[in-house]
Amino acid sequence: MSGAAHLGKPYEERITEIIDTLYNEGMYEPALVLFCQLSKDFPNCAEPLMFAGLSAGEGGDKDKGLSLLAMAASCDDVTHDVYFNMSAYYIQTGDMDSARTALYNCLKMKPLFGRAWMALADLDKVRASDPLIGRMQRALKRKLKEDDEYHLRFGLAKAYNDIEQYDRAWYQYKKANALNLSIYPADANLSPGDYAKHYTEVGSTAASTPIDVAVEMTSSPIFIVGFPRSGTTLVEQILGCHSQVEGRGELPFISQFADLFELQGDQEKSWLESLGEVEPETFRLMAEKYLEFANPNNSPFFVDKLPNNYKYIPLIRRMFPDAKILRVIRDPMDTILSCYQQCFTSGQEWSFDLVNAANAFQTYERTMNAIPDSEYDEINYEVLVRQPSNSIPQIAELAGLSFEPAMLKPENSDQAVKTASAAQARQEISSGSVGRWKNYDGAELRMVLSILDATIPHNEWIYDHMHAESINPY
């Protein structure tokens, strides 16, 4: 017995928790090092093998990651959680067959695990003949925990949507979101953050005016911003297919830098109000640290796709005066519906209620209207999915890249997708989601349309919807 193994199960569990934490913080090398020590003390343990596999894969060694995951699945102590986490990795890397196998193995061990049912429904378009629908219906009749029930309802709603049974889909979406709202109240996080008044008070031009921070640029960040579910993942996947670009997913660093201003400065001032008081050297140091954290592989170009970074455009401009910032815009009604149909949890509580979601979108629009158009370039989602062969070369140009044919097939990308759109990103570009809100044209969505018309009347999509003969929002 090794010097640590005599400590038994508590030791193993504690070290596994540390490995889990390191993995979730993106510290893949330390996670692997710690796993190597643990594997000597406790060989053939499924959970640490799983986290080691995930860490190896996230760290760039996909083959080692897959090998370790296979070892985890063969352990005697494998659990449903191990299989579920394995499926998430397979989905991120585009291996849908392995993901499906892992999810069914998960359900064999825990038949009422709602997250697994939802993930199965999300893997691909469900057909009317798919036995998955009947299995989910039967599972829903069982006594379920709240967490399992709302995930299962989201999965069943998605399946009904796929087979165009929209009334049944809407019923399940409403039930699922009502459960979500009871578990995660939205009062404390009604909107993504009302920054519009700060831009107005401080002066948007002054706040956004870049300064020369003299950063030695070894790579170029490309920021993709927008409202959640507006198409930002698709644009990241397109850019990630370029030979010089690495998609880094939704990185937290810009918002963390903004938080530092409020922690260290005048507590009564927002980070935005403090920008003018910060020395250029501070922005230079922040930019250098950001590049160190955000681009560990030193790729020539990399994509930071955190939609809510739209709030921090003035800070991004101070750190990187020449950075490419791409804003993705989409029909507000489709965007809000897509948020409502997505099983968000912490951080997006406004999405559980359509009125709250409409208010959140208003806040986003007001903020973007307060930022000069010259600070970013726009990509229209509808134009992109309808005319990809024309739009994608233009997107490449906006990002400062030369066009490469591989960008036309983002579904073939071998880069991991770590967002809520992971499964959808593995499908061919399609315009099938354009105008989807009209499939659910009921009182709730007409109310959302009225709210948006009253508060953002210059939005061309809302104007067109309000004046369409087939729509009667009142």
Side-chain angles (χ1 to χ4, degrees):
M1 181 177 292
S2 75
H6 73 281
L7 297 175
K9 194 69 175 176
Y11 170 83
E12 177 198 346
E13 291 176 350
R14 180 57 183 143
I15 298 300
T16 300
E17 287 177 5
I18 296 172
I19 295 173
D20 182 13
T21 300
L22 291 170
Y23 168 76
N24 288 326
E25 292 295 325
M27 302 173 68
Y28 306 124
E29 285 191 25
L32 274 172
V33 169
L34 197 53
F35 160 74
C36 290
Q37 178 58 47
L38 183 61
S39 64
K40 295 176 184 177
D41 298 330
F42 295 91
N44 302 319
C45 293
E47 196 166 8
L49 275 168
M50 175 199 70
F51 283 121
L54 297 177
S55 296
E58 297 281 11
D61 193 340
K62 184 177 179 180
D63 290 339
K64 183 175 182 178
L66 293 174
S67 175
L68 288 167
L69 290 177
M71 291 170 62
S74 67
C75 291
D76 292 337
D77 66 342
V78 65
T79 65
H80 75 279
D81 277 330
V82 170
Y83 280 123
F84 184 72
N85 281 290
M86 288 169 61
S87 75
Y89 176 76
Y90 290 133
I91 291 170
Q92 289 178 6
T93 55
D95 187 351
M96 298 307 179
D97 289 338
S98 295
R100 186 174 286 103
T101 299
L103 287 168
Y104 276 119
N105 284 333
C106 171
L107 287 168
K108 285 179 183 177
M109 304 190 77
K110 191 174 182 182
L112 301 181
F113 189 44
R115 292 173 187 266
W117 288 115
M118 187 182 76
L120 279 170
D122 283 341
L123 278 182
D124 204 349
K125 185 169 183 177
V126 179
R127 303 187 183 279
S129 59
D130 196 326
L132 176 65
I133 297 176
R135 291 171 181 169
M136 288 193 291
Q137 290 171 332
R138 289 190 293 274
L140 194 56
K141 293 178 181 179
R142 304 279 296 277
K143 185 175 179 59
L144 299 166
K145 296 178 181 178
E146 284 184 330
D147 183 85
D148 291 319
E149 181 181 348
Y150 76 73
H151 281 98
L152 182 53
R153 288 188 183 278
F154 270 114
L156 190 54
K158 192 268 183 184
Y160 285 144
N161 180 77
D162 285 348
I163 63 175
E164 300 181 4
Q165 293 188 13
Y166 299 118
D167 288 344
R168 300 179 80 178
W170 193 249
Y171 174 81
Q172 295 298 340
Y173 281 127
K174 289 180 69 174
K175 283 284 191 179
N177 276 298
L179 266 173
N180 248 349
L181 195 57
S182 69
I183 299 169
Y184 305 101
D187 292 345
N189 194 3
L190 196 58
S191 76
D194 191 351
Y195 287 83
K197 63 180 181 180
H198 294 302
Y199 285 105
T200 302
E201 292 170 359
V202 176
S204 57
T205 303
S208 297
T209 301
I211 57 176
D212 184 7
V213 295
V215 180
E216 184 177 346
M217 297 287 287
T218 56
S219 59
S220 299
I222 302 168
F223 296 92
I224 301 177
V225 302
F227 200 75
R229 308 296 296 170
S230 61
T232 54
T233 296
L234 174 59
V235 174
E236 181 194 26
Q237 281 297 98
I238 289 169
L239 293 174
C241 289
H242 194 283
S243 60
Q244 299 295 304
V245 179
E246 179 182 1
R248 293 286 295 144
E250 299 181 348
L251 301 175
F253 306 121
I254 293 296
S255 62
Q256 289 173 349
F257 282 132
D259 289 342
L260 288 176
F261 285 114
E262 296 186 1
L263 290 172
Q264 297 182 1
D266 187 337
Q267 297 297 308
E268 296 183 359
K269 290 185 177 181
S270 70
W271 65 268
L272 182 64
E273 294 169 308
S274 301
L275 278 186
E277 303 170 3
V278 178
E279 295 294 326
E281 175 67 9
T282 299
F283 292 114
R284 185 186 68 78
L285 292 173
M286 290 169 64
E288 288 179 352
K289 278 297 177 186
Y290 171 83
L291 292 175
E292 178 185 339
F293 296 150
N295 188 27
N297 298 323
N298 293 316
S299 301
F301 297 86
F302 67 95
V303 179
D304 183 340
K305 184 215 77 82
L306 186 62
N308 281 349
N309 273 343
Y310 74 85
K311 295 180 284 192
Y312 306 113
I313 289 177
L315 176 57
I316 293 172
R317 279 280 171 248
R318 291 290 179 120
M319 293 169 60
F320 302 105
D322 299 321
K324 303 296 183 181
I325 303 176
L326 308 180
R327 177 196 180 189
V328 185
I329 59 172
R330 182 186 182 188
D331 184 332
M333 294 299 291
D334 280 334
T335 304
I336 289 171
L337 175 68
S338 187
C339 289
Y340 189 69
Q341 293 178 333
Q342 181 64 45
C343 185
F344 288 124
T345 52
S346 178
Q348 311 282 22
E349 291 88 349
W350 48 265
S351 67
F352 308 154
D353 178 86
L354 285 168
V355 171
N356 287 351
N359 291 333
F361 192 88
Q362 293 173 44
T363 298
Y364 160 73
E365 279 283 295
R366 288 198 300 269
T367 300
M368 293 308 302
N369 288 339
I371 299 175
D373 294 346
S374 58
E375 300 296 342
Y376 56 86
D377 291 297
E378 279 189 351
I379 298 170
N380 184 300
Y381 172 82
E382 283 77 8
V383 174
L384 167 58
V385 297
R386 284 172 170 154
Q387 305 170 24
S389 60
N390 292 332
S391 298
I392 291 175
Q394 296 171 5
I395 291 173
E397 183 177 356
L398 291 176
L401 303 167
S402 59
F403 169 71
E404 293 182 357
M407 300 173 74
L408 295 172
K409 295 289 184 179
E411 69 274 13
N412 295 333
S413 171
D414 60 359
Q415 294 198 27
V417 184
K418 306 171 188 176
T419 70
S421 305
Q424 186 180 359
R426 299 303 176 183
Q427 301 168 14
E428 293 183 1
I429 295 176
S430 167
S431 60
S433 294
V434 174
R436 189 172 64 178
W437 73 276
K438 295 177 184 178
N439 296 327
Y440 299 95
D441 182 26
E444 294 99 334
L445 283 172
R446 289 197 295 272
M447 178 175 59
V448 168
L449 186 56
S450 299
I451 291 172
L452 295 179
D453 179 60
T455 55
I456 49 173
H458 301 298
N459 185 287
E460 61 185 65
W461 278 296
I462 299 302
Y463 180 89
D464 289 345
H465 296 330
M466 291 294 294
H467 292 79
E469 292 182 4
S470 61
I471 302 297
N472 179 15
Y474 305 107

